[in-house]
Structures are given as C-alpha cells and as structure tokens.
Amino acid sequence: MVKITFCFESEAPSICVMAATNENILQTARRENIAIDAPCSGNGTCGKCRIRLLSGKVESTSDLEDGWYLACQTKPLSDIEILVPNTATAFHTGIRTAELTQAERAQLKTLPNSGFEAVSLKLCEPSLDDTLPDNERLAAAIEKKTGCKTVFTFHAFKRMAWILREEDFSIQVLGERKNGIFTVYDLVPSGISAPMCALAVDIGTTTVCAVLTELTSGTLLAKATCGNAQLRYGADVINRIIEQSKLGAERLQKAVLEETLFDLIEAVCKDAKINKSRIFRMSVAANTTMNHLFLGLFADPIRMEPYIPSFFRTQSFCAKELSIPIHPDAQILISPNIGSYVGGDITCGVYASGLWKNDELSLFVDLGTNGEIVFGNREFTVACACSAGPAFEGGDISCGMRATDGAIDRCSINKDTMLPTFSVLGGGKPVGICGSGILDVISELFTCGIINAKGDFVREGSRIVRDQYGTGRYVLAFAEESATDSEISITHVDIDNFIRAKGAVYSAIDTLLSAMDMDESVLQTVYVAGGIGSSISIKNAIAIGMLPNLPVENFRYIGNSALSGACAMALSDKAVCEIDELSQGMTYMELSTQAGYMDSFVAACFLPHTDAERFGGAR
Amino acid sequence: MVKITFCFESEAPSICVMAATNENILQTARRENIAIDAPCSGNGTCGKCRIRLLSGKVESTSDLEDGWYLACQTKPLSDIEILVPNTATAFHTGIRTAELTQAERAQLKTLPNSGFEAVSLKLCEPSLDDTLPDNERLAAAIEKKTGCKTVFTFHAFKRMAWILREEDFSIQVLGERKNGIFTVYDLVPSGISAPMCALAVDIGTTTVCAVLTELTSGTLLAKATCGNAQLRYGADVINRIIEQSKLGAERLQKAVLEETLFDLIEAVCKDAKINKSRIFRMSVAANTTMNHLFLGLFADPIRMEPYIPSFFRTQSFCAKELSIPIHPDAQILISPNIGSYVGGDITCGVYASGLWKNDELSLFVDLGTNGEIVFGNREFTVACACSAGPAFEGGDISCGMRATDGAIDRCSINKDTMLPTFSVLGGGKPVGICGSGILDVISELFTCGIINAKGDFVREGSRIVRDQYGTGRYVLAFAEESATDSEISITHVDIDNFIRAKGAVYSAIDTLLSAMDMDESVLQTVYVAGGIGSSISIKNAIAIGMLPNLPVENFRYIGNSALSGACAMALSDKAVCEIDELSQGMTYMELSTQAGYMDSFVAACFLPHTDAERFGGAR
C-alpha cells in the first residue's frame, strides 16, 4: 500500500488516501469518492483526467510532458503527491441555464390541475366546556369549509398545536384536495402570501435541470441547471451501471442527489426566496438508467440481456424515502419508462411535443448520447433507441467539450478563404467545441468541398494541417487564438466518430419508418429535442444526412422537452395520467433485431448518405 | 462565563462546558444534555442530583459535607471541576424485566389478526420475448396467488431486482394483505424461516418496556425494560413539558427515542436474533404527555387551561417519519387518549383488563405518579385521574427509590419487638425503599399501633428515633445494615406524603362512584395495574385505606396492563379497532370540578379514613 495525496488547483483542502499499487489513480479516486472527470470512464481516450505528479514515482502508459499523466493510465510506485487541475474537477459547473421563453412561461400557467389549495380558517377557541383536541377541531373546520375528510401529514401534525395558539386559532391550511380527502401539508398565519411549490427535474446523464413553479398558478419561480455529479463515474449509462456494481447503489445515488439535486434545490429556493419545505410536489424526467440510479435501484439487469428494468409505469415515492430536503411528504413522481433504453425523459418529451394527440404523422428525435426516435400520431406511437455515442455532447472528439462556457457552439466557414467564423458560449477565446459546433463545422467542411463524402480532407489551405501520414485536420483556433494555449481543431478521426453518430440516428429513423412500411414523405412535423437539439442548425443537420430531407419549416425545435413534460407532471394530475397512458400505448422496437438496420447504418455513414438522392442529390 | 468540567464516577470521559454564573449546575447539565438524575426537577427536595466539588468555588444553599452539593442548588463562582457519582447517572439502568407468565404467553398466541403473511412464489424468468419489468412480473404472480393488487414499500422495491436474480426468481414475499391490497414489506429466499415481527412498547414516565412478538403466530420472542432517559428532565409529566418548552421538542423526543427506545429495540432484536428491519409493525401505549413528547408534538397546551392535547383517537405514523430503526414503512400505532391526564396507557390497560366487555361493574386502578381510575362495564365506562405525586415510585420519600436493584419491596414488622423483616430486589443489603415497600411499612406501622391515624409515632422502641422536636422516624436499616452506609428510615414527613398519595387515589374512587350514584358495594372486580400495582399487598393497601374494603379475592393484579394492551394492538387490527372504540365510548370526568372531591380527599388523608367504618371499623 502507498499513500496518494490529492492536491487541488481549486481551493479544496488536499486529501490523503491509502492505495494499492495495482490500482490506477482514477480507480483510487472513484473508490475514495474524489471527483475527477472521466467521461470515457478510464479508457484513456478522453484525456479529461489529466493530473500532474508533484512528488513520488509512478508507472504510466500516458507520460504526457512536464509531469502530466492521465489518472486512468497511471499507477503509483511509491507514496505520491499529485495536483488535480480545475479542468478535472470543474466538469459540472459552468453549465448554462436556458431562460424560459414567454411562450413557455404562458404554457406553464395553463397546467395547474393538482388539487392544491390554501384554505383560510377561523376556529372556535377551546375552553373547559369545549375540549376537542386540536386535530379534531381543525378537521371539523376543514370539513365544514371543503366538505372533505382531513388527513394530516406528520409535518403539519407536529406544527399544529403551536401555530394554532401562536395565531389565535386563525390560520391558513395549505393542502391537497383529492377524492374527498383534504391532506394538510402545512399551517401558516392567515393573511400572508403562502406559495405552494412544485419542482420539475430533468435528470440527464450529463446535465440536470430544475424548474420551480407555484402549484396553483403555474407561475415560474426559478430555474437552475448543473452537471450531473455522476459524470465522474463515466459519460454514458453503461459505465454508470458498471460503477454502481463496483461502488454500490448509495454512491451513485448520493452523487445525483446530495451532490447535484440538493444544490439545485438550494439554488432555486434561494432565487425564489422560498422555504424548501414549501415544495409539496416534485417530478422527475430521466432515462431508465438515470431513474434507477436516482432511486438507488439495482441497475445491472438493464445492461444485461434480456435488459429488464425494475419498472416501466409511473412511480410515486415520497421525499422522506429519498431524504430529499423538501416537504417530507412531497410526492416524487417518476415518469414512466418504455424500455431499458427509452425512458421517462422520452415519455415526458413526447408528451410535451404534442405528437401523441395530433392526427398528423410526426417524428420526435431526441439527440444525446443515446438517440431516441418516436414516430406516430394519436392513433399509435412506436419508439426506438440508437447508441449515438458521446460525440453529440463533445465526447470522442479530440477538442470536444460539453455546451458550457468556452465552447464553440456555432460555426461557418468561408468557401473561398476556408477561414472559420464562430461564436463561443459565454464569449471570449474558445476552450473547445461542443456538439452543435462540431455539426456546423463538418457540414461547412463538406459544403465547402474541404472534405469528401467519406470525411477525407481533399483541399489544402492555411487551416488544413496534415500529420506525418498525410491525414488532415481543420484548425478552428491556433494555440495563440485559444483560451488553453492549445490548438482547437477537428481531426479526421473526430469526423469519423461524428459521422457514425449521425449515421446511427438517421438509420434509426429510416429503419423505424421502413418497419411501418412508410418513408420520410409521410412526416408532417419533426420535433427535435435534446441537449444538442436545442441549438443545432437544421439546415446543416440535413446537409450532413442526420435528419430527413424535409423543408426546414417542417422541423420544430422543442428544446428540453423532457423538462417541459416534467413541469406538466409536477403541476397537473391530468398530465400524470396522460403521460402514463401515453407510455402504456407506446410500442418499443428493438432496432438490433430489425432486418436491414445494419445495412441502413452502413449506408448512412457517409456525407450525406450513399444514396445522396435522399438529400437532394450530390453536391 | 466560567468553565465547568463534569467528571464521572463511571468510565465516561469528562466533559467541559461554558456556563453562566447565574445558572445552577443542574440547569447547565440539562442545557448541555448531560444526564444527571433529578426526579424533583430541581426543587432541591429529592437529593438525587448530589455532586462533589473537586476544585473551584461555588455558591450553594445545599452544602452537605465532604464537598458534596446538590447540583440544583449550586452555582459556580469560578471555573470548577465536579464529580458526578453513579447514583446520579445510573438512574435508568438496573430496572428489572418481569418475565411473562405462561398464561400471558398463551394469551399472545390468541391475538394475531393483522393480515401479515409470507407468500412463496416461483416466477417465470424474463427473456427477450418476455420483457415485463420486475415489478409487474412480481405483482402478477402475487395477484395470481392471492387475488390482491400489489403495492411495494420502497424498501422492498429497492431489493427486488437484486434478490429476484440472486434467488433465480424463486422467493418468499413478506407482506400484509388488507382490503384487496397486498403490501410487500420484504423479499427473502424461498424455503427459509422468515419471521415477521411486531413490537409493543409501553412508554411510562419512569419506565419503558418493549415486547417483541412474531406477527403471524403471536409467539413471544423477547422482552426488555429500561428507565425512560427523559427522567433527567424531571420525574413527572408537568416538569417534562416545562423542559420541552425550554429545551425544544427534539431534545425530549431524542431522550425517549435514541437514548431509550432504540436501545430496547437493539436489545430485543439481539436477544431474538432478528434483523431490526423485520419489525413490520409497532404499537405504543403511553400517557398523553408521553405520547406527545414521543412524537415531538408541542405539549404545552396539555398543562395549560383548558388542557387540550393535539389528538385523542388512535394515530398511525410510519417508522421513517420518526427515524425509528425498524422497517422504514412499519406502521407506528399510537393508542388513543381520553383526556390530557388519561392517556393511551389507560385505554390499553382497560382493554387488557376486559372490564369493557363484561356485564359486571368493575373498577380499574392504575397506580403511578398519576393515578387513573376507570369504572364501568360493557354498557359504559367513566375515567378520571388524580395526582398521586411521586410517592408510589419512591419520590418525595427521604429514602425512596424506584423499584430497581437494592430497593426494599416488601416488609413486615413484628408487633411486639417492632423489628422489621424485609426483602430486597436483587438481594443483598438495601439501598432504599420503593413504593410497595413504603406501603407495607406504613400499613405495618399502623397495624402494630406504632403510628396513629394521623401518622404520628405513638410508641417507642429501638427502631423508633426522634429528632430534636420529638418527631419520630422508623429505622428499617441502620447505617451499618445498609448498602450505602446511611440509615434507611421512614420519617413522619414520608408518611404524610404517602398518606396524601393514597388519599388522592381513594377519594378519586369514592368521588367517581358517588358521581354515578353508586358505592363500593357494586364492584365485582377491582383490577389493579401499574408499576407499583403489580407487587403490592392488597391486604395492606386496604388496611391503610387506599383501595376499597372488598374481599381480597375481588381484586385482580393485572401487572403492566398498558403493555398487554399494546401487544394486542401490535398483533391485531381487531384490537386496534376495539381500543379506538373503547376510547370513543369512555367518558372523562374532571375531578377538580366535582362537588365533594376536596372533602372526600381530606377525609381520606387519615389511616385508614375519617370514616373508619368503611374499612371495617377502628382497630
């Protein structure tokens, strides 16, 4: 055993741990719950777990320079001291919170349908001749006013005797009226404004987003976003499940709860000046793996044939069961899954899109590490999932990064000079490039004839650099133009990876439609959702053959539709029922068992496609 | 501010705290949650908070000798160091656990009526062609076997995926079948013995007792008793409520939960070799103040006119709401109260006595700090409470102590020699005298003509010692005969205190019967319950005029009847309903507003009574 001292570039105090010499530094860090980013989960490919050796000896296959190593490729040979840079720890900060549009805010206000209400009461004070106990006195007054029997949450029961006397038996009762029962959540002085809140949470594999609204009015109170702290256990769901097996369900659950959600709750409540115990209801939209890890459920069966999750349909738990610091009896609604790889984020997203209630045939495409496709209308819905890999979120891309500050998110290239023009999230010099930026660059490179259908570089210029084997790369920013003093470029390998990702999506769409004996021509609307989806250029996505070649006006950005669906669940019982029904009616199609899927995928791994006619003919 | 260092005669590490000089040492100890016994709650009367000054200066009205002081009468004048002797800290240990009799064990086995059962299931294993999620697969199998819809506790839901695969889909489901719903509490391998347990708890002001039984068979698994750790906040309910106001509900709740009940749960589970999470149901019998403090409810209104508790009727909470370390979804049933001073211990006790279902008119007498009397039959029941004070439990008695090891519990006195013969709990030399012992001594002193009807000493002898004013005391053990090297005696003041206590009980009985236009002659059976009740001499209790003058065979000891009633609630839904109904039918009579009560009390404060005819004429 040796001692590893982790020092942090941030102000965090250093941590000493015992480690075995046959364990690499990333493994030790994960075991000891020290956060080091590793989206590739220790394959040595993402380069995000760079650490610097300050003292001691190591054995490594990744000797970078100046004492830098990849933690996942390096084992200690003696007691060592290492520096963990901010880039390895700040991976889930700096994520941008998209403001809700006016239309989205207005939409929220149409939702409330949950039975929550505030009831003002003036009770008769007890006396020696009127000795009803407090709970019966209060229940009688509630029944008189609402016609409902009363049930007390323990939180309200404990506060009852005190607040009744404090307020001279004149109070407001905050609660939920349902099926002839009035459930008391809290008691407050009369005459004050007493908002009752709903929290909607979208738990993405990468990003977690929370929206706080007022339960009775649907008024938006606050919104916050941050990275999922589980990121340090791998970028994709499979690696997360593997880490759960190794480290235990509590560890992964703690990462998404204590280290992610609780911070968001703190943030939205502070922003809205609301006491956390005023959150009476919460909903969660998450993919199947994320909702299992969130609940602390054993997720291994999801990744092992025959891929069986613990549940499909809508589940309801309460806050105290998950130790979530809101009202202890707040209902936590978990949106329903369709299959192991089409989860509650998709049922919520499809619900928000409206696809399920229209006559016209439409497509719902959610672009993320997992690409999910839903096709149908109010008569039927069919869903499938394809593994796009992490390229859309900047993974498997040499200078890729998530859509956080410093990322190049949009780009155009001058056909003649081949010089790039790009925008950087948060402004300033670029740090890397995110999914929507990569999509733009590849589309522009192809449109400008700089790369061919296979992604090979076929032109030369000041921005085209070739390595010793003649393989090209396109430089977006030279070292002196970047924030990191390192070149930011798109390599041939990056393009290959991205083409496979877009090919997976397009072939999934193609296979799904073919299986229904239809083709793209039947599609009235294509709803594009997902982290990458909200900011991509549709024109470019069609140009590279990722989305079907339809008029641009047939596409609708719907942004974070999972979050919109979660808001509906949080505010409305009607929405909860509709989403559960929607999930019950949705058919899951397993792509891998569909004849023709592999052929379709291979055909789609060209720019735009081997059958270029589909995209308006060769350029 | 000064520093107080508490050193302990036990092996506990010493504790340093900051203290204000206007605060006495007991107040400081309570504020800092340091346990020092003080049944009189700091009045300077019980002498239990004796501490020894090791260094520093104090100001005290209680300078005993050799540096000993009463903590409640002593304030620091400088930094001080004090020794806390075992007598001041070990107050809630050494309490004896009464074994259940064969008849009581047999009675338990007649009770089970709760719907809990173990269901063995062999499920079809999932495959690519049969992809039902685990919860639906299991629910379908349960429905097929029981005809019930399934609800999962979160505890079972979390274990489900793992145990199904671990046991190749062949398992036992432990749960509760009720109203067409089967609630799954746990999943275990098939073929193993899997007891499901019920815990019944009697939370007395002084003593807490727990009984663990098997839910389906009623088999006794274990029993344990200990002192209520709230004792350090005062011996009676009023002082406990006052301390709750000062220190907060959490502190008093923590004392009875973490420092008392949790230890008992640990003890019974260890004894029975049962995992704590196998306790699926729990019941609590406690007086009104104790159940309020147990739940963390604001108890002040109980002691303030018009004396209104938070609740009367049976309440049900769940273990996770109270953080009790048993199955998180275990129902915690709180037995119903009748009034602020007739609580769930009495409704449980009356239930266990059977008084409520017989034709004959009977009396139920619970002897404790509070004396509760219930009169009636299956047609009606009337209850009242009287404040007997702590004398029955050894309080307000110079050498009094609780019924723990070292207490003189029975005594007789030779009429001629006036020498005592006594038994000591746990054997050995006596430490003090408990309620049943005091009762015997006073009865014997009176019967032997050593004291007169007013309690004055009227004979002389080797065991009668008189002080400078001629006031006598009776010595049970001289210093050299006792375990503490101090004389153990009964003083004239002790006798006075005890006479007031017995007078309160007798006059309550008398007033209650008179109010119903009846007298003792209607009584077929008198059930005697309570801590002191289980071991007293009925003959002596009649002789001093505490209990009605009926043939001894009309009395029935029923021991800890509150605990028996709690066992019934823990094992049987029928009992829960019956106890709630019983409580609804019981009329509470406020003695203080009854004409004649004070006269009756004054008349009863003689040995045996001013109207000696009631007790067979003057002796």
Side-chain angles (χ1 to χ4, degrees), chain B residues 545-581:
Chain B
M546 178 163 97
L547 293 177
N549 185 18
L550 298 170
V552 171
E553 58 272 21
N554 287 27
F555 288 83
R556 279 187 54 198
Y557 294 126
I558 53 170
N560 189 343
S561 59
L563 187 61
S564 307
C567 284
M569 285 183 84
L571 288 167
S572 163
D573 285 336
K574 183 160 164 278
V576 172
C577 291
E578 286 171 340
I579 291 174
D580 194 59
E581 275 169 34

Short mmCIF file of all heavy atoms in Angstrom, two decimals, chain B residues 545-581:
data_model
loop_
_atom_site.label_atom_id
_atom_site.label_comp_id
_atom_site.label_asym_id
_atom_site.label_seq_id
_atom_site.Cartn_x
_atom_site.Cartn_y
_atom_site.Cartn_z
N GLY B 545 -56.36 2.18 53.75
CA GLY B 545 -57.44 2.96 53.15
C GLY B 545 -57.12 3.52 51.78
O GLY B 545 -57.58 4.60 51.42
N MET B 546 -56.33 2.76 51.02
CA MET B 546 -56.03 3.20 49.66
C MET B 546 -57.00 2.59 48.66
O MET B 546 -57.43 3.25 47.71
CB MET B 546 -54.60 2.81 49.30
CG MET B 546 -54.20 3.19 47.91
SD MET B 546 -52.41 3.16 47.70
CE MET B 546 -52.18 1.56 46.99
N LEU B 547 -57.31 1.31 48.86
CA LEU B 547 -58.24 0.61 47.97
C LEU B 547 -59.51 0.29 48.74
O LEU B 547 -59.50 0.17 49.97
CB LEU B 547 -57.58 -0.69 47.45
CG LEU B 547 -56.37 -0.50 46.52
CD1 LEU B 547 -55.77 -1.85 46.15
CD2 LEU B 547 -56.76 0.28 45.26
N PRO B 548 -60.64 0.14 48.05
CA PRO B 548 -61.92 -0.12 48.73
C PRO B 548 -61.87 -1.40 49.54
O PRO B 548 -61.18 -2.36 49.17
CB PRO B 548 -62.92 -0.25 47.58
CG PRO B 548 -62.25 0.21 46.35
CD PRO B 548 -60.78 0.18 46.58
N ASN B 549 -62.64 -1.42 50.60
CA ASN B 549 -62.66 -2.56 51.51
C ASN B 549 -63.55 -3.68 50.98
O ASN B 549 -64.70 -3.84 51.39
CB ASN B 549 -63.15 -2.08 52.89
CG ASN B 549 -63.07 -3.20 53.92
OD1 ASN B 549 -62.36 -4.20 53.73
ND2 ASN B 549 -63.80 -3.03 55.01
N LEU B 550 -63.00 -4.44 50.05
CA LEU B 550 -63.72 -5.57 49.46
C LEU B 550 -62.93 -6.83 49.76
O LEU B 550 -61.75 -6.76 50.11
CB LEU B 550 -63.81 -5.39 47.94
CG LEU B 550 -64.56 -4.16 47.42
CD1 LEU B 550 -64.35 -4.00 45.93
CD2 LEU B 550 -66.06 -4.28 47.75
N PRO B 551 -63.57 -8.00 49.64
CA PRO B 551 -62.81 -9.24 49.85
C PRO B 551 -61.59 -9.28 48.92
O PRO B 551 -61.69 -8.86 47.76
CB PRO B 551 -63.82 -10.33 49.48
CG PRO B 551 -65.16 -9.69 49.63
CD PRO B 551 -64.98 -8.24 49.31
N VAL B 552 -60.48 -9.77 49.44
CA VAL B 552 -59.24 -9.78 48.66
C VAL B 552 -59.41 -10.51 47.34
O VAL B 552 -58.81 -10.14 46.32
CB VAL B 552 -58.09 -10.39 49.50
CG1 VAL B 552 -56.84 -10.61 48.64
CG2 VAL B 552 -57.74 -9.48 50.66
N GLU B 553 -60.30 -11.52 47.33
CA GLU B 553 -60.47 -12.28 46.07
C GLU B 553 -61.18 -11.47 44.97
O GLU B 553 -61.19 -11.89 43.82
CB GLU B 553 -61.21 -13.61 46.33
CG GLU B 553 -62.57 -13.48 46.98
CD GLU B 553 -62.50 -13.47 48.52
OE1 GLU B 553 -61.42 -13.16 49.06
OE2 GLU B 553 -63.53 -13.76 49.17
N ASN B 554 -61.73 -10.32 45.31
CA ASN B 554 -62.33 -9.47 44.27
C ASN B 554 -61.29 -8.63 43.53
O ASN B 554 -61.61 -7.98 42.54
CB ASN B 554 -63.37 -8.50 44.89
CG ASN B 554 -64.63 -9.22 45.30
OD1 ASN B 554 -64.59 -10.41 45.61
ND2 ASN B 554 -65.75 -8.50 45.32
N PHE B 555 -60.06 -8.65 44.04
CA PHE B 555 -59.01 -7.87 43.39
C PHE B 555 -58.25 -8.76 42.40
O PHE B 555 -58.06 -9.94 42.66
CB PHE B 555 -58.03 -7.33 44.44
CG PHE B 555 -58.61 -6.22 45.26
CD1 PHE B 555 -59.41 -6.50 46.37
CD2 PHE B 555 -58.40 -4.89 44.93
CE1 PHE B 555 -59.97 -5.49 47.14
CE2 PHE B 555 -58.94 -3.86 45.68
CZ PHE B 555 -59.74 -4.15 46.79
N ARG B 556 -57.86 -8.15 41.29
CA ARG B 556 -57.01 -8.90 40.36
C ARG B 556 -55.81 -8.06 39.96
O ARG B 556 -55.95 -6.97 39.41
CB ARG B 556 -57.80 -9.31 39.12
CG ARG B 556 -58.63 -10.56 39.37
CD ARG B 556 -59.29 -11.06 38.12
NE ARG B 556 -58.33 -11.29 37.05
CZ ARG B 556 -58.69 -11.39 35.78
NH1 ARG B 556 -59.95 -11.27 35.44
NH2 ARG B 556 -57.77 -11.59 34.84
N TYR B 557 -54.64 -8.58 40.28
CA TYR B 557 -53.42 -7.95 39.77
C TYR B 557 -53.40 -8.15 38.27
O TYR B 557 -53.51 -9.29 37.82
CB TYR B 557 -52.16 -8.69 40.26
CG TYR B 557 -51.88 -8.66 41.71
CD1 TYR B 557 -51.70 -9.86 42.41
CD2 TYR B 557 -51.73 -7.46 42.38
CE1 TYR B 557 -51.39 -9.87 43.75
CE2 TYR B 557 -51.43 -7.46 43.74
CZ TYR B 557 -51.26 -8.66 44.42
OH TYR B 557 -50.95 -8.67 45.74
N ILE B 558 -53.22 -7.12 37.51
CA ILE B 558 -53.06 -7.36 36.07
C ILE B 558 -51.73 -6.80 35.56
O ILE B 558 -51.49 -6.72 34.37
CB ILE B 558 -54.24 -6.81 35.24
CG1 ILE B 558 -54.50 -5.35 35.57
CG2 ILE B 558 -55.50 -7.64 35.48
CD1 ILE B 558 -55.49 -4.70 34.62
N GLY B 559 -50.87 -6.49 36.50
CA GLY B 559 -49.49 -6.13 36.14
C GLY B 559 -49.44 -4.94 35.19
O GLY B 559 -50.23 -4.00 35.30
N ASN B 560 -48.52 -5.01 34.21
CA ASN B 560 -48.38 -3.92 33.25
C ASN B 560 -49.44 -4.08 32.17
O ASN B 560 -49.17 -4.57 31.07
CB ASN B 560 -46.97 -3.91 32.67
CG ASN B 560 -46.72 -2.67 31.82
OD1 ASN B 560 -47.68 -2.00 31.42
ND2 ASN B 560 -45.48 -2.37 31.57
N SER B 561 -50.67 -3.66 32.48
CA SER B 561 -51.78 -3.87 31.54
C SER B 561 -51.65 -2.99 30.31
O SER B 561 -52.11 -3.34 29.23
CB SER B 561 -53.10 -3.59 32.25
OG SER B 561 -53.12 -2.26 32.74
N ALA B 562 -50.97 -1.84 30.45
CA ALA B 562 -50.75 -0.98 29.28
C ALA B 562 -49.94 -1.75 28.24
O ALA B 562 -50.24 -1.71 27.04
CB ALA B 562 -50.01 0.30 29.69
N LEU B 563 -48.93 -2.48 28.71
CA LEU B 563 -48.10 -3.26 27.80
C LEU B 563 -48.91 -4.39 27.17
O LEU B 563 -48.77 -4.67 25.97
CB LEU B 563 -46.89 -3.82 28.56
CG LEU B 563 -45.84 -4.52 27.70
CD1 LEU B 563 -45.25 -3.57 26.67
CD2 LEU B 563 -44.74 -5.09 28.58
N SER B 564 -49.79 -5.03 27.95
CA SER B 564 -50.62 -6.10 27.39
C SER B 564 -51.52 -5.55 26.29
O SER B 564 -51.68 -6.16 25.24
CB SER B 564 -51.50 -6.72 28.48
OG SER B 564 -50.71 -7.12 29.57
N GLY B 565 -52.09 -4.37 26.53
CA GLY B 565 -52.93 -3.75 25.52
C GLY B 565 -52.13 -3.38 24.28
O GLY B 565 -52.60 -3.53 23.15
N ALA B 566 -50.90 -2.90 24.50
CA ALA B 566 -50.03 -2.54 23.37
C ALA B 566 -49.72 -3.79 22.55
O ALA B 566 -49.69 -3.74 21.31
CB ALA B 566 -48.75 -1.88 23.86
N CYS B 567 -49.49 -4.93 23.21
CA CYS B 567 -49.24 -6.18 22.48
C CYS B 567 -50.44 -6.52 21.60
O CYS B 567 -50.29 -6.95 20.45
CB CYS B 567 -48.98 -7.34 23.45
SG CYS B 567 -47.35 -7.29 24.19
N ALA B 568 -51.63 -6.32 22.14
CA ALA B 568 -52.83 -6.61 21.36
C ALA B 568 -52.88 -5.73 20.12
O ALA B 568 -53.15 -6.19 19.01
CB ALA B 568 -54.08 -6.41 22.22
N MET B 569 -52.57 -4.44 20.28
CA MET B 569 -52.58 -3.53 19.12
C MET B 569 -51.53 -3.93 18.09
O MET B 569 -51.75 -3.84 16.89
CB MET B 569 -52.28 -2.09 19.56
CG MET B 569 -53.43 -1.40 20.25
SD MET B 569 -53.01 0.33 20.66
CE MET B 569 -53.39 1.16 19.10
N ALA B 570 -50.37 -4.34 18.60
CA ALA B 570 -49.28 -4.68 17.68
C ALA B 570 -49.62 -5.90 16.84
O ALA B 570 -49.21 -6.01 15.69
CB ALA B 570 -47.99 -4.92 18.45
N LEU B 571 -50.40 -6.80 17.41
CA LEU B 571 -50.67 -8.07 16.72
C LEU B 571 -52.01 -8.11 16.01
O LEU B 571 -52.22 -8.97 15.15
CB LEU B 571 -50.61 -9.22 17.73
CG LEU B 571 -49.21 -9.60 18.23
CD1 LEU B 571 -49.30 -10.53 19.44
CD2 LEU B 571 -48.41 -10.25 17.11
N SER B 572 -52.89 -7.20 16.34
CA SER B 572 -54.27 -7.39 15.86
C SER B 572 -54.96 -6.10 15.43
O SER B 572 -55.08 -5.15 16.21
CB SER B 572 -55.07 -8.06 16.99
OG SER B 572 -56.45 -7.93 16.77
N ASP B 573 -55.46 -6.09 14.20
CA ASP B 573 -56.25 -4.96 13.72
C ASP B 573 -57.57 -4.87 14.47
O ASP B 573 -58.10 -3.78 14.69
CB ASP B 573 -56.55 -5.11 12.23
CG ASP B 573 -55.33 -4.81 11.39
OD1 ASP B 573 -54.45 -4.07 11.87
OD2 ASP B 573 -55.25 -5.33 10.26
N LYS B 574 -58.09 -6.05 14.85
CA LYS B 574 -59.34 -6.09 15.60
C LYS B 574 -59.15 -5.35 16.93
O LYS B 574 -59.99 -4.51 17.31
CB LYS B 574 -59.72 -7.55 15.85
CG LYS B 574 -61.04 -7.78 16.56
CD LYS B 574 -61.54 -9.21 16.31
CE LYS B 574 -62.63 -9.62 17.30
NZ LYS B 574 -62.07 -10.08 18.59
N ALA B 575 -58.04 -5.62 17.59
CA ALA B 575 -57.77 -4.95 18.86
C ALA B 575 -57.62 -3.44 18.66
O ALA B 575 -58.10 -2.64 19.46
CB ALA B 575 -56.52 -5.53 19.51
N VAL B 576 -56.97 -3.04 17.56
CA VAL B 576 -56.80 -1.61 17.29
C VAL B 576 -58.18 -0.95 17.19
O VAL B 576 -58.42 0.11 17.78
CB VAL B 576 -55.99 -1.39 15.98
CG1 VAL B 576 -55.99 0.09 15.58
CG2 VAL B 576 -54.57 -1.89 16.14
N CYS B 577 -59.09 -1.60 16.47
CA CYS B 577 -60.44 -1.05 16.34
C CYS B 577 -61.15 -1.03 17.68
O CYS B 577 -61.80 -0.04 18.04
CB CYS B 577 -61.27 -1.89 15.36
SG CYS B 577 -60.71 -1.72 13.68
N GLU B 578 -61.05 -2.12 18.43
CA GLU B 578 -61.75 -2.20 19.70
C GLU B 578 -61.25 -1.15 20.70
O GLU B 578 -62.03 -0.54 21.43
CB GLU B 578 -61.62 -3.61 20.29
CG GLU B 578 -62.48 -4.63 19.55
CD GLU B 578 -62.22 -6.08 19.98
OE1 GLU B 578 -61.14 -6.35 20.54
OE2 GLU B 578 -63.08 -6.93 19.74
N ILE B 579 -59.93 -0.95 20.71
CA ILE B 579 -59.36 0.04 21.64
C ILE B 579 -59.80 1.44 21.23
O ILE B 579 -60.14 2.28 22.07
CB ILE B 579 -57.83 -0.08 21.72
CG1 ILE B 579 -57.46 -1.40 22.42
CG2 ILE B 579 -57.20 1.11 22.45
CD1 ILE B 579 -55.98 -1.71 22.44
N ASP B 580 -59.85 1.70 19.93
CA ASP B 580 -60.29 3.02 19.50
C ASP B 580 -61.77 3.24 19.86
O ASP B 580 -62.15 4.30 20.36
CB ASP B 580 -60.06 3.20 17.99
CG ASP B 580 -60.19 4.66 17.56
OD1 ASP B 580 -59.44 5.50 18.10
OD2 ASP B 580 -61.07 4.97 16.74
N GLU B 581 -62.57 2.20 19.65
CA GLU B 581 -64.00 2.30 20.02
C GLU B 581 -64.17 2.49 21.51
O GLU B 581 -64.96 3.32 21.96
CB GLU B 581 -64.74 1.02 19.61
CG GLU B 581 -65.22 1.03 18.18
CD GLU B 581 -65.72 -0.35 17.74
OE1 GLU B 581 -66.29 -1.07 18.58
OE2 GLU B 581 -65.49 -0.69 16.56
#
